[in-house]
Amino acid sequence: MVYEVSKDIQGLIFDFDGTLVDSMPVHCLSWKAAFAAFNEDISESFIYGHAGYSLVGVVEAYNKQKKKNLPPLEVVAKKDESHLAYVDKTKPIPIVLDIVKHYYKKLPMAVATGNTRLLTAPLMKKLDLMKYFDTVVFGDEVTKGKPDPECFLVAAKAIGVLPQNCEVFEDGDPGIEAAKRAGMKVTD
């Protein structure tokens, strides 16, 4: 049985990594490779603990916690480069994909991700997911990352639905906070 949204919900917004697709193992591999290029070791617990942060935000949090001064954009560029080598290991999460398929052409839907267009768009195409969504808001196309609500508010506007009538499917704490701050219903 597919999850049923409440009657006041007129649009659905999905986080990508960890919600729509099981990409965290791939993110761990690519983050580890990126940090290794700077002679640093990042733990899986740190990566999972910062799920939902913008890519630059992960590096900034690492710098703050470890008292380092790694160049965020350069580390992210290395991560992106590494990530592309692992995309074949990323698969949709079946229960969430069932929701997407169920509401396809019934409700407007968007993806709002903290990840970049460079990494997310090709993967969405490869997994044949683009066709289901009216819009995709990429992390490198907004000025503030989660937990700021900007990506969700941009997505709601793009699908023509008031924030209070949107339901967000999100797994990361920063994204959950962002959706709540946007005035949207959140399902984890």
Side-chain angles (χ1 to χ4, degrees), residues 119-152:
L119 296 182
T120 307
L123 184 54
M124 287 185 74
K125 287 178 185 155
K126 179 187 170 293
L127 297 173
D128 199 29
L129 296 173
M130 292 293 267
K131 67 185 178 191
Y132 296 110
F133 298 98
D134 301 289
T135 195
V136 179
V137 178
F138 299 98
D140 55 344
E141 297 175 350
V142 293
T143 58
K144 298 176 189 150
K146 300 170 188 174
D148 189 273
E150 181 185 10
C151 66
F152 293 129

PDB file of all heavy atoms in Angstrom, residues 119-152:
ATOM      1  N   LEU A 119      26.362  16.733 -10.346  1.00  0.00           N
ATOM      2  CA  LEU A 119      26.262  15.360  -9.863  1.00  0.00           C
ATOM      3  C   LEU A 119      24.845  14.802  -9.915  1.00  0.00           C
ATOM      4  O   LEU A 119      24.643  13.638 -10.224  1.00  0.00           O
ATOM      5  CB  LEU A 119      26.770  15.275  -8.422  1.00  0.00           C
ATOM      6  CG  LEU A 119      28.239  15.587  -8.215  1.00  0.00           C
ATOM      7  CD1 LEU A 119      28.606  15.424  -6.757  1.00  0.00           C
ATOM      8  CD2 LEU A 119      29.116  14.716  -9.090  1.00  0.00           C
ATOM      9  N   THR A 120      23.870  15.626  -9.603  1.00  0.00           N
ATOM     10  CA  THR A 120      22.507  15.124  -9.458  1.00  0.00           C
ATOM     11  C   THR A 120      21.793  14.915 -10.792  1.00  0.00           C
ATOM     12  O   THR A 120      21.146  13.878 -10.986  1.00  0.00           O
ATOM     13  CB  THR A 120      21.685  16.076  -8.568  1.00  0.00           C
ATOM     14  OG1 THR A 120      22.397  16.282  -7.343  1.00  0.00           O
ATOM     15  CG2 THR A 120      20.320  15.510  -8.260  1.00  0.00           C
ATOM     16  N   ALA A 121      21.886  15.865 -11.696  1.00  0.00           N
ATOM     17  CA  ALA A 121      21.138  15.761 -12.964  1.00  0.00           C
ATOM     18  C   ALA A 121      21.511  14.513 -13.769  1.00  0.00           C
ATOM     19  O   ALA A 121      20.606  13.779 -14.197  1.00  0.00           O
ATOM     20  CB  ALA A 121      21.315  17.033 -13.791  1.00  0.00           C
ATOM     21  N   PRO A 122      22.793  14.211 -13.976  1.00  0.00           N
ATOM     22  CA  PRO A 122      23.119  12.991 -14.727  1.00  0.00           C
ATOM     23  C   PRO A 122      22.625  11.719 -14.036  1.00  0.00           C
ATOM     24  O   PRO A 122      22.180  10.781 -14.692  1.00  0.00           O
ATOM     25  CB  PRO A 122      24.648  13.001 -14.809  1.00  0.00           C
ATOM     26  CG  PRO A 122      25.059  14.402 -14.558  1.00  0.00           C
ATOM     27  CD  PRO A 122      24.000  14.978 -13.661  1.00  0.00           C
ATOM     28  N   LEU A 123      22.691  11.709 -12.701  1.00  0.00           N
ATOM     29  CA  LEU A 123      22.227  10.534 -11.968  1.00  0.00           C
ATOM     30  C   LEU A 123      20.713  10.390 -12.081  1.00  0.00           C
ATOM     31  O   LEU A 123      20.199   9.287 -12.277  1.00  0.00           O
ATOM     32  CB  LEU A 123      22.656  10.628 -10.506  1.00  0.00           C
ATOM     33  CG  LEU A 123      22.337   9.428  -9.636  1.00  0.00           C
ATOM     34  CD1 LEU A 123      22.870   8.137 -10.228  1.00  0.00           C
ATOM     35  CD2 LEU A 123      22.892   9.646  -8.230  1.00  0.00           C
ATOM     36  N   MET A 124      19.987  11.500 -12.001  1.00  0.00           N
ATOM     37  CA  MET A 124      18.533  11.438 -12.166  1.00  0.00           C
ATOM     38  C   MET A 124      18.174  10.922 -13.558  1.00  0.00           C
ATOM     39  O   MET A 124      17.241  10.137 -13.713  1.00  0.00           O
ATOM     40  CB  MET A 124      17.900  12.805 -11.913  1.00  0.00           C
ATOM     41  CG  MET A 124      17.885  13.202 -10.447  1.00  0.00           C
ATOM     42  SD  MET A 124      17.010  14.749 -10.154  1.00  0.00           S
ATOM     43  CE  MET A 124      15.298  14.201 -10.369  1.00  0.00           C
ATOM     44  N   LYS A 125      18.924  11.364 -14.560  1.00  0.00           N
ATOM     45  CA  LYS A 125      18.679  10.888 -15.933  1.00  0.00           C
ATOM     46  C   LYS A 125      18.995   9.406 -16.052  1.00  0.00           C
ATOM     47  O   LYS A 125      18.220   8.634 -16.624  1.00  0.00           O
ATOM     48  CB  LYS A 125      19.487  11.710 -16.932  1.00  0.00           C
ATOM     49  CG  LYS A 125      18.933  13.098 -17.118  1.00  0.00           C
ATOM     50  CD  LYS A 125      19.762  13.924 -18.077  1.00  0.00           C
ATOM     51  CE  LYS A 125      19.193  15.341 -18.108  1.00  0.00           C
ATOM     52  NZ  LYS A 125      20.152  16.332 -18.498  1.00  0.00           N
ATOM     53  N   LYS A 126      20.134   8.995 -15.506  1.00  0.00           N
ATOM     54  CA  LYS A 126      20.549   7.592 -15.572  1.00  0.00           C
ATOM     55  C   LYS A 126      19.513   6.680 -14.911  1.00  0.00           C
ATOM     56  O   LYS A 126      19.224   5.593 -15.407  1.00  0.00           O
ATOM     57  CB  LYS A 126      21.907   7.416 -14.902  1.00  0.00           C
ATOM     58  CG  LYS A 126      22.418   5.998 -14.881  1.00  0.00           C
ATOM     59  CD  LYS A 126      23.684   5.907 -14.044  1.00  0.00           C
ATOM     60  CE  LYS A 126      24.091   4.504 -13.791  1.00  0.00           C
ATOM     61  NZ  LYS A 126      23.187   3.731 -12.937  1.00  0.00           N
ATOM     62  N   LEU A 127      18.948   7.132 -13.797  1.00  0.00           N
ATOM     63  CA  LEU A 127      17.954   6.344 -13.063  1.00  0.00           C
ATOM     64  C   LEU A 127      16.529   6.575 -13.576  1.00  0.00           C
ATOM     65  O   LEU A 127      15.580   6.061 -12.999  1.00  0.00           O
ATOM     66  CB  LEU A 127      18.041   6.662 -11.568  1.00  0.00           C
ATOM     67  CG  LEU A 127      19.367   6.297 -10.891  1.00  0.00           C
ATOM     68  CD1 LEU A 127      19.394   6.808  -9.456  1.00  0.00           C
ATOM     69  CD2 LEU A 127      19.614   4.797 -10.946  1.00  0.00           C
ATOM     70  N   ASP A 128      16.397   7.364 -14.636  1.00  0.00           N
ATOM     71  CA  ASP A 128      15.111   7.660 -15.270  1.00  0.00           C
ATOM     72  C   ASP A 128      14.122   8.306 -14.296  1.00  0.00           C
ATOM     73  O   ASP A 128      12.930   7.974 -14.273  1.00  0.00           O
ATOM     74  CB  ASP A 128      14.516   6.386 -15.896  1.00  0.00           C
ATOM     75  CG  ASP A 128      13.449   6.686 -16.929  1.00  0.00           C
ATOM     76  OD1 ASP A 128      13.516   7.756 -17.580  1.00  0.00           O
ATOM     77  OD2 ASP A 128      12.527   5.857 -17.092  1.00  0.00           O
ATOM     78  N   LEU A 129      14.615   9.262 -13.504  1.00  0.00           N
ATOM     79  CA  LEU A 129      13.779   9.935 -12.512  1.00  0.00           C
ATOM     80  C   LEU A 129      13.299  11.313 -12.952  1.00  0.00           C
ATOM     81  O   LEU A 129      12.294  11.805 -12.439  1.00  0.00           O
ATOM     82  CB  LEU A 129      14.548  10.073 -11.188  1.00  0.00           C
ATOM     83  CG  LEU A 129      14.927   8.775 -10.493  1.00  0.00           C
ATOM     84  CD1 LEU A 129      15.825   9.049  -9.287  1.00  0.00           C
ATOM     85  CD2 LEU A 129      13.682   8.011 -10.078  1.00  0.00           C
ATOM     86  N   MET A 130      14.004  11.952 -13.870  1.00  0.00           N
ATOM     87  CA  MET A 130      13.667  13.333 -14.256  1.00  0.00           C
ATOM     88  C   MET A 130      12.218  13.469 -14.713  1.00  0.00           C
ATOM     89  O   MET A 130      11.572  14.468 -14.411  1.00  0.00           O
ATOM     90  CB  MET A 130      14.600  13.837 -15.358  1.00  0.00           C
ATOM     91  CG  MET A 130      16.033  14.039 -14.906  1.00  0.00           C
ATOM     92  SD  MET A 130      16.240  15.351 -13.714  1.00  0.00           S
ATOM     93  CE  MET A 130      16.600  16.712 -14.774  1.00  0.00           C
ATOM     94  N   LYS A 131      11.716  12.470 -15.402  1.00  0.00           N
ATOM     95  CA  LYS A 131      10.375  12.557 -15.989  1.00  0.00           C
ATOM     96  C   LYS A 131       9.266  12.753 -14.951  1.00  0.00           C
ATOM     97  O   LYS A 131       8.194  13.261 -15.268  1.00  0.00           O
ATOM     98  CB  LYS A 131      10.083  11.310 -16.824  1.00  0.00           C
ATOM     99  CG  LYS A 131       9.976  10.031 -16.011  1.00  0.00           C
ATOM    100  CD  LYS A 131       9.801   8.813 -16.897  1.00  0.00           C
ATOM    101  CE  LYS A 131       9.732   7.537 -16.089  1.00  0.00           C
ATOM    102  NZ  LYS A 131       9.834   6.365 -16.950  1.00  0.00           N
ATOM    103  N   TYR A 132       9.527  12.368 -13.711  1.00  0.00           N
ATOM    104  CA  TYR A 132       8.499  12.448 -12.678  1.00  0.00           C
ATOM    105  C   TYR A 132       8.348  13.839 -12.057  1.00  0.00           C
ATOM    106  O   TYR A 132       7.340  14.118 -11.410  1.00  0.00           O
ATOM    107  CB  TYR A 132       8.798  11.455 -11.545  1.00  0.00           C
ATOM    108  CG  TYR A 132       8.765  10.011 -11.976  1.00  0.00           C
ATOM    109  CD1 TYR A 132       9.936   9.266 -12.037  1.00  0.00           C
ATOM    110  CD2 TYR A 132       7.564   9.397 -12.325  1.00  0.00           C
ATOM    111  CE1 TYR A 132       9.909   7.937 -12.420  1.00  0.00           C
ATOM    112  CE2 TYR A 132       7.530   8.072 -12.718  1.00  0.00           C
ATOM    113  CZ  TYR A 132       8.707   7.341 -12.763  1.00  0.00           C
ATOM    114  OH  TYR A 132       8.682   6.027 -13.159  1.00  0.00           O
ATOM    115  N   PHE A 133       9.347  14.688 -12.246  1.00  0.00           N
ATOM    116  CA  PHE A 133       9.391  15.939 -11.496  1.00  0.00           C
ATOM    117  C   PHE A 133       9.206  17.152 -12.393  1.00  0.00           C
ATOM    118  O   PHE A 133       9.757  17.241 -13.480  1.00  0.00           O
ATOM    119  CB  PHE A 133      10.708  16.024 -10.715  1.00  0.00           C
ATOM    120  CG  PHE A 133      10.811  14.919  -9.710  1.00  0.00           C
ATOM    121  CD1 PHE A 133      11.529  13.766 -10.007  1.00  0.00           C
ATOM    122  CD2 PHE A 133      10.152  14.988  -8.502  1.00  0.00           C
ATOM    123  CE1 PHE A 133      11.606  12.714  -9.106  1.00  0.00           C
ATOM    124  CE2 PHE A 133      10.209  13.950  -7.584  1.00  0.00           C
ATOM    125  CZ  PHE A 133      10.932  12.809  -7.892  1.00  0.00           C
ATOM    126  N   ASP A 134       8.428  18.109 -11.874  1.00  0.00           N
ATOM    127  CA  ASP A 134       8.170  19.349 -12.595  1.00  0.00           C
ATOM    128  C   ASP A 134       9.363  20.294 -12.521  1.00  0.00           C
ATOM    129  O   ASP A 134       9.547  21.118 -13.414  1.00  0.00           O
ATOM    130  CB  ASP A 134       6.921  20.028 -12.013  1.00  0.00           C
ATOM    131  CG  ASP A 134       5.702  19.126 -12.125  1.00  0.00           C
ATOM    132  OD1 ASP A 134       5.222  18.926 -13.252  1.00  0.00           O
ATOM    133  OD2 ASP A 134       5.261  18.594 -11.088  1.00  0.00           O
ATOM    134  N   THR A 135      10.145  20.172 -11.459  1.00  0.00           N
ATOM    135  CA  THR A 135      11.333  21.017 -11.308  1.00  0.00           C
ATOM    136  C   THR A 135      12.316  20.341 -10.362  1.00  0.00           C
ATOM    137  O   THR A 135      11.935  19.490  -9.557  1.00  0.00           O
ATOM    138  CB  THR A 135      10.959  22.427 -10.782  1.00  0.00           C
ATOM    139  OG1 THR A 135      12.054  23.300 -10.976  1.00  0.00           O
ATOM    140  CG2 THR A 135      10.573  22.404  -9.321  1.00  0.00           C
ATOM    141  N   VAL A 136      13.576  20.744 -10.489  1.00  0.00           N
ATOM    142  CA  VAL A 136      14.621  20.312  -9.566  1.00  0.00           C
ATOM    143  C   VAL A 136      15.375  21.558  -9.120  1.00  0.00           C
ATOM    144  O   VAL A 136      15.805  22.358  -9.949  1.00  0.00           O
ATOM    145  CB  VAL A 136      15.596  19.310 -10.221  1.00  0.00           C
ATOM    146  CG1 VAL A 136      16.686  18.889  -9.234  1.00  0.00           C
ATOM    147  CG2 VAL A 136      14.860  18.084 -10.758  1.00  0.00           C
ATOM    148  N   VAL A 137      15.506  21.726  -7.823  1.00  0.00           N
ATOM    149  CA  VAL A 137      16.282  22.828  -7.262  1.00  0.00           C
ATOM    150  C   VAL A 137      17.593  22.225  -6.751  1.00  0.00           C
ATOM    151  O   VAL A 137      17.576  21.382  -5.846  1.00  0.00           O
ATOM    152  CB  VAL A 137      15.522  23.537  -6.125  1.00  0.00           C
ATOM    153  CG1 VAL A 137      16.371  24.646  -5.525  1.00  0.00           C
ATOM    154  CG2 VAL A 137      14.192  24.079  -6.634  1.00  0.00           C
ATOM    155  N   PHE A 138      18.695  22.640  -7.352  1.00  0.00           N
ATOM    156  CA  PHE A 138      20.009  22.120  -7.006  1.00  0.00           C
ATOM    157  C   PHE A 138      20.678  23.032  -5.982  1.00  0.00           C
ATOM    158  O   PHE A 138      20.485  24.244  -5.990  1.00  0.00           O
ATOM    159  CB  PHE A 138      20.886  22.017  -8.263  1.00  0.00           C
ATOM    160  CG  PHE A 138      20.326  21.104  -9.303  1.00  0.00           C
ATOM    161  CD1 PHE A 138      19.604  21.616 -10.381  1.00  0.00           C
ATOM    162  CD2 PHE A 138      20.498  19.736  -9.219  1.00  0.00           C
ATOM    163  CE1 PHE A 138      19.077  20.778 -11.353  1.00  0.00           C
ATOM    164  CE2 PHE A 138      19.975  18.885 -10.177  1.00  0.00           C
ATOM    165  CZ  PHE A 138      19.258  19.401 -11.250  1.00  0.00           C
ATOM    166  N   GLY A 139      21.505  22.435  -5.143  1.00  0.00           N
ATOM    167  CA  GLY A 139      22.168  23.181  -4.081  1.00  0.00           C
ATOM    168  C   GLY A 139      23.053  24.305  -4.565  1.00  0.00           C
ATOM    169  O   GLY A 139      23.238  25.303  -3.860  1.00  0.00           O
ATOM    170  N   ASP A 140      23.600  24.163  -5.767  1.00  0.00           N
ATOM    171  CA  ASP A 140      24.470  25.224  -6.285  1.00  0.00           C
ATOM    172  C   ASP A 140      23.686  26.307  -7.022  1.00  0.00           C
ATOM    173  O   ASP A 140      24.279  27.212  -7.599  1.00  0.00           O
ATOM    174  CB  ASP A 140      25.581  24.645  -7.172  1.00  0.00           C
ATOM    175  CG  ASP A 140      25.076  23.783  -8.319  1.00  0.00           C
ATOM    176  OD1 ASP A 140      23.908  23.351  -8.307  1.00  0.00           O
ATOM    177  OD2 ASP A 140      25.872  23.519  -9.230  1.00  0.00           O
ATOM    178  N   GLU A 141      22.362  26.236  -6.955  1.00  0.00           N
ATOM    179  CA  GLU A 141      21.526  27.240  -7.615  1.00  0.00           C
ATOM    180  C   GLU A 141      20.716  28.077  -6.617  1.00  0.00           C
ATOM    181  O   GLU A 141      19.860  28.849  -7.023  1.00  0.00           O
ATOM    182  CB  GLU A 141      20.602  26.559  -8.626  1.00  0.00           C
ATOM    183  CG  GLU A 141      21.386  25.886  -9.737  1.00  0.00           C
ATOM    184  CD  GLU A 141      20.529  25.088 -10.708  1.00  0.00           C
ATOM    185  OE1 GLU A 141      19.332  24.874 -10.454  1.00  0.00           O
ATOM    186  OE2 GLU A 141      21.083  24.662 -11.714  1.00  0.00           O
ATOM    187  N   VAL A 142      20.987  27.876  -5.340  1.00  0.00           N
ATOM    188  CA  VAL A 142      20.385  28.706  -4.303  1.00  0.00           C
ATOM    189  C   VAL A 142      21.520  29.349  -3.511  1.00  0.00           C
ATOM    190  O   VAL A 142      22.657  28.866  -3.530  1.00  0.00           O
ATOM    191  CB  VAL A 142      19.446  27.899  -3.361  1.00  0.00           C
ATOM    192  CG1 VAL A 142      18.216  27.414  -4.108  1.00  0.00           C
ATOM    193  CG2 VAL A 142      20.173  26.744  -2.711  1.00  0.00           C
ATOM    194  N   THR A 143      21.215  30.440  -2.827  1.00  0.00           N
ATOM    195  CA  THR A 143      22.279  31.149  -2.113  1.00  0.00           C
ATOM    196  C   THR A 143      22.541  30.586  -0.727  1.00  0.00           C
ATOM    197  O   THR A 143      23.630  30.738  -0.207  1.00  0.00           O
ATOM    198  CB  THR A 143      21.964  32.652  -2.004  1.00  0.00           C
ATOM    199  OG1 THR A 143      20.708  32.813  -1.344  1.00  0.00           O
ATOM    200  CG2 THR A 143      21.898  33.299  -3.379  1.00  0.00           C
ATOM    201  N   LYS A 144      21.540  29.936  -0.141  1.00  0.00           N
ATOM    202  CA  LYS A 144      21.692  29.385   1.211  1.00  0.00           C
ATOM    203  C   LYS A 144      21.302  27.921   1.211  1.00  0.00           C
ATOM    204  O   LYS A 144      20.264  27.543   0.691  1.00  0.00           O
ATOM    205  CB  LYS A 144      20.809  30.153   2.188  1.00  0.00           C
ATOM    206  CG  LYS A 144      21.164  31.619   2.318  1.00  0.00           C
ATOM    207  CD  LYS A 144      20.184  32.328   3.219  1.00  0.00           C
ATOM    208  CE  LYS A 144      20.420  33.822   3.161  1.00  0.00           C
ATOM    209  NZ  LYS A 144      19.198  34.562   3.386  1.00  0.00           N
ATOM    210  N   GLY A 145      22.144  27.094   1.823  1.00  0.00           N
ATOM    211  CA  GLY A 145      21.856  25.665   1.929  1.00  0.00           C
ATOM    212  C   GLY A 145      20.989  25.352   3.135  1.00  0.00           C
ATOM    213  O   GLY A 145      20.767  26.203   4.006  1.00  0.00           O
ATOM    214  N   LYS A 146      20.501  24.130   3.164  1.00  0.00           N
ATOM    215  CA  LYS A 146      19.747  23.650   4.319  1.00  0.00           C
ATOM    216  C   LYS A 146      20.654  23.781   5.543  1.00  0.00           C
ATOM    217  O   LYS A 146      21.835  23.518   5.436  1.00  0.00           O
ATOM    218  CB  LYS A 146      19.335  22.191   4.100  1.00  0.00           C
ATOM    219  CG  LYS A 146      18.458  21.977   2.872  1.00  0.00           C
ATOM    220  CD  LYS A 146      18.299  20.480   2.585  1.00  0.00           C
ATOM    221  CE  LYS A 146      17.614  20.220   1.279  1.00  0.00           C
ATOM    222  NZ  LYS A 146      17.586  18.791   0.944  1.00  0.00           N
ATOM    223  N   PRO A 147      20.166  24.232   6.661  1.00  0.00           N
ATOM    224  CA  PRO A 147      18.791  24.285   7.152  1.00  0.00           C
ATOM    225  C   PRO A 147      18.000  25.540   6.764  1.00  0.00           C
ATOM    226  O   PRO A 147      16.880  25.713   7.224  1.00  0.00           O
ATOM    227  CB  PRO A 147      18.953  24.206   8.662  1.00  0.00           C
ATOM    228  CG  PRO A 147      20.253  24.858   8.933  1.00  0.00           C
ATOM    229  CD  PRO A 147      21.118  24.508   7.755  1.00  0.00           C
ATOM    230  N   ASP A 148      18.576  26.421   5.938  1.00  0.00           N
ATOM    231  CA  ASP A 148      17.794  27.542   5.444  1.00  0.00           C
ATOM    232  C   ASP A 148      16.687  26.985   4.545  1.00  0.00           C
ATOM    233  O   ASP A 148      16.927  26.053   3.768  1.00  0.00           O
ATOM    234  CB  ASP A 148      18.684  28.504   4.648  1.00  0.00           C
ATOM    235  CG  ASP A 148      17.951  29.776   4.309  1.00  0.00           C
ATOM    236  OD1 ASP A 148      17.262  29.806   3.266  1.00  0.00           O
ATOM    237  OD2 ASP A 148      18.057  30.728   5.095  1.00  0.00           O
ATOM    238  N   PRO A 149      15.485  27.526   4.592  1.00  0.00           N
ATOM    239  CA  PRO A 149      14.368  26.983   3.809  1.00  0.00           C
ATOM    240  C   PRO A 149      14.365  27.381   2.329  1.00  0.00           C
ATOM    241  O   PRO A 149      13.468  26.976   1.586  1.00  0.00           O
ATOM    242  CB  PRO A 149      13.134  27.544   4.522  1.00  0.00           C
ATOM    243  CG  PRO A 149      13.608  28.813   5.133  1.00  0.00           C
ATOM    244  CD  PRO A 149      15.041  28.566   5.529  1.00  0.00           C
ATOM    245  N   GLU A 150      15.356  28.139   1.869  1.00  0.00           N
ATOM    246  CA  GLU A 150      15.330  28.681   0.512  1.00  0.00           C
ATOM    247  C   GLU A 150      15.046  27.630  -0.562  1.00  0.00           C
ATOM    248  O   GLU A 150      14.196  27.841  -1.425  1.00  0.00           O
ATOM    249  CB  GLU A 150      16.644  29.396   0.186  1.00  0.00           C
ATOM    250  CG  GLU A 150      16.654  29.988  -1.210  1.00  0.00           C
ATOM    251  CD  GLU A 150      17.982  30.609  -1.609  1.00  0.00           C
ATOM    252  OE1 GLU A 150      18.991  30.434  -0.891  1.00  0.00           O
ATOM    253  OE2 GLU A 150      18.007  31.267  -2.660  1.00  0.00           O
ATOM    254  N   CYS A 151      15.728  26.482  -0.532  1.00  0.00           N
ATOM    255  CA  CYS A 151      15.538  25.490  -1.604  1.00  0.00           C
ATOM    256  C   CYS A 151      14.100  24.990  -1.662  1.00  0.00           C
ATOM    257  O   CYS A 151      13.538  24.804  -2.744  1.00  0.00           O
ATOM    258  CB  CYS A 151      16.520  24.337  -1.482  1.00  0.00           C
ATOM    259  SG  CYS A 151      16.293  23.313  -0.025  1.00  0.00           S
ATOM    260  N   PHE A 152      13.467  24.808  -0.499  1.00  0.00           N
ATOM    261  CA  PHE A 152      12.086  24.336  -0.476  1.00  0.00           C
ATOM    262  C   PHE A 152      11.109  25.423  -0.914  1.00  0.00           C
ATOM    263  O   PHE A 152      10.126  25.136  -1.612  1.00  0.00           O
ATOM    264  CB  PHE A 152      11.722  23.795   0.903  1.00  0.00           C
ATOM    265  CG  PHE A 152      12.466  22.535   1.270  1.00  0.00           C
ATOM    266  CD1 PHE A 152      13.134  22.441   2.475  1.00  0.00           C
ATOM    267  CD2 PHE A 152      12.516  21.449   0.412  1.00  0.00           C
ATOM    268  CE1 PHE A 152      13.816  21.281   2.826  1.00  0.00           C
ATOM    269  CE2 PHE A 152      13.196  20.292   0.737  1.00  0.00           C
ATOM    270  CZ  PHE A 152      13.852  20.210   1.955  1.00  0.00           C
TER     271      PHE A 152
END
